Amino acid sequence: NDSHEAFSAGANLAMLFMYAIEQEWDEIDMMIAHFQETMMKARYSSIPVVTAPHTLALGGGCELNLHSDKVVAAAETYMGLVELGVGLIPAGGGTKEMAVRCSDMYQNGDPELNILQSAFMNIAQAKVSASAQEAMDMGYLKAGRDQIVLNRSRLIAEAKQAAVELAENGYTPPIRRSDIKVQGKAGIALFKAGIKGMRMSNYITDHDALIADKLAYVISGGDLSYAQNVSEKYLLELEREAFLALCGEQKTLERMQGLLSGGKPPRN
């Protein structure tokens, strides 16, 4: 019975921590670049990729699902981008992907900054869904495309069936994206105001504010003077830069150490 095993509780924090302590920035850069490339290979592979998450799909485990062609999730799936808890931002394509999904939602004419803000808050609060249905509400699963399976013992069979159907319907890989609308300075300003307010009311620490600022910068597509379209490659580079900068922060190292030593990351 594999019901106790997690789908994936995230990336290898111990290895990352070791590199960060030793200040091996090139190693970390390569590690993140490799992880990003792996996610992009999942998205742009010549064959369909179907993921079948259950129980925990956190951090990098969530990012893999974000990049598959279809997610067939057990109803009891606790999914979330939880990197901010250890002083980092999602950098395996997670922040990029939420910017992509927001951009795709803008086309329906919804208020753009509202859509972006809810994606930002889910990541900023390291929010984990209480179910697969909630993961869909949070935008980590796609309504009308992804599937929720109530009977856990049917999960792999259903996922296989989905993969076969995608293949038989004449699968073609998606086209690489360069049409991702980001908000630039307007997005950053909106988030900075919110972050400052939370800091002033002591709802978050200085370090929380620093990490949230980095997240705001990446998910807004950087310091662009007006809203415009960018590529996935551009957003992945922003993600990686922000992640590397945070690895150099003493308080991020303290949070990683707290988690690795079996406790909770300190609220520093």
Side-chain angles (χ1 to χ4, degrees):
N1 181 355
D2 58 353
S3 63
H4 297 300
E5 291 172 22
F7 172 79
S8 167
N12 188 343
L13 198 61
M15 194 163 137
L16 178 66
F17 180 69
M18 190 184 72
Y19 285 146
I21 287 283
E22 302 289 331
Q23 302 190 348
E24 300 273 8
W25 309 127
D26 288 351
E27 293 291 343
I28 295 176
D29 195 33
M30 274 167 59
M31 191 173 160
I32 299 306
H34 180 67
F35 191 55
Q36 289 180 337
E37 271 162 37
T38 306
M39 296 299 122
M40 296 303 270
K41 276 182 179 147
R43 164 140 311 160
Y44 296 109
S45 83
S46 55
I47 55 169
V49 174
V50 175
T51 47
H54 54 83
T55 50
L56 299 178
L58 306 176
C62 177
E63 285 170 320
L64 179 57
N65 291 293
L66 293 178
H67 288 86
S68 68
D69 292 298
K70 180 169 185 155
V71 185
V72 178
E76 283 184 48
T77 301
Y78 310 102
M79 190 179 274
L81 296 167
V82 295
E83 287 82 354
L84 266 86
V86 285
L88 296 164
I89 70 160
T95 307
K96 176 273 302 176
E97 185 57 23
M98 294 325 288
V100 172
R101 291 185 182 201
C102 288
S103 171
D104 289 344
M105 284 167 75
Y106 298 159
Q107 289 156 13
N108 305 338
D110 299 333
E112 299 190 356
L113 289 170
N114 292 7
I115 291 172
L116 190 64
Q117 187 157 24
S118 84
F120 172 85
M121 287 308 289
N122 284 336
I123 303 172
Q125 294 172 330
K127 189 175 173 194
V128 177
S129 74
S131 64
Q133 185 53 56
E134 192 182 9
M136 200 165 269
D137 300 339
M138 289 165 72
Y140 294 148
L141 297 181
K142 282 189 179 177
R145 183 200 75 171
D146 296 336
Q147 186 182 336
I148 298 174
V149 177
L150 294 174
N151 181 350
R152 170 70 201 278
S153 62
R154 293 277 314 143
L155 187 65
I156 298 298
E158 296 277 356
K160 278 185 178 170
Q161 180 61 35
V164 168
E165 276 174 20
L166 281 169
E168 284 176 350
N169 293 339
Y171 177 76
T172 50
I175 291 164
R176 288 188 180 263
R177 300 287 300 265
S178 54
D179 61 340
I180 304 152
K181 186 176 182 185
V182 293
Q183 302 293 334
K185 278 193 164 85
I188 294 172
L190 169 81
F191 293 134
K192 270 198 187 291
I195 293 162
K196 200 171 174 188
M198 288 198 289
R199 179 65 199 103
M200 284 170 75
S201 58
N202 271 330
Y203 182 66
I204 58 173
T205 66
D206 279 340
H207 194 49
D208 290 328
L210 174 80
I211 311 157
D213 277 343
K214 295 258 186 237
L215 174 65
Y217 185 85
V218 177
I219 207 166
S220 302
D223 205 3
L224 306 170
S225 46
Y226 56 92
Q228 56 191 273
N229 288 358
V230 296
S231 69
E232 273 180 296
K233 187 173 180 291
Y234 168 81
L235 288 172
L236 288 170
E237 278 165 16
L238 288 186
E239 238 184 33
R240 211 162 71 237
E241 278 168 27
F243 189 92
L244 269 170
L246 288 167
C247 283
E249 291 283 337
Q250 185 58 37
K251 288 189 170 172
T252 286
L253 296 182
E254 287 167 16
R255 289 190 186 191
M256 282 193 214
Q257 193 167 18
L259 193 67
L260 286 168
S261 57
K264 280 184 94 162
R267 282 304 306 268
N268 53 9

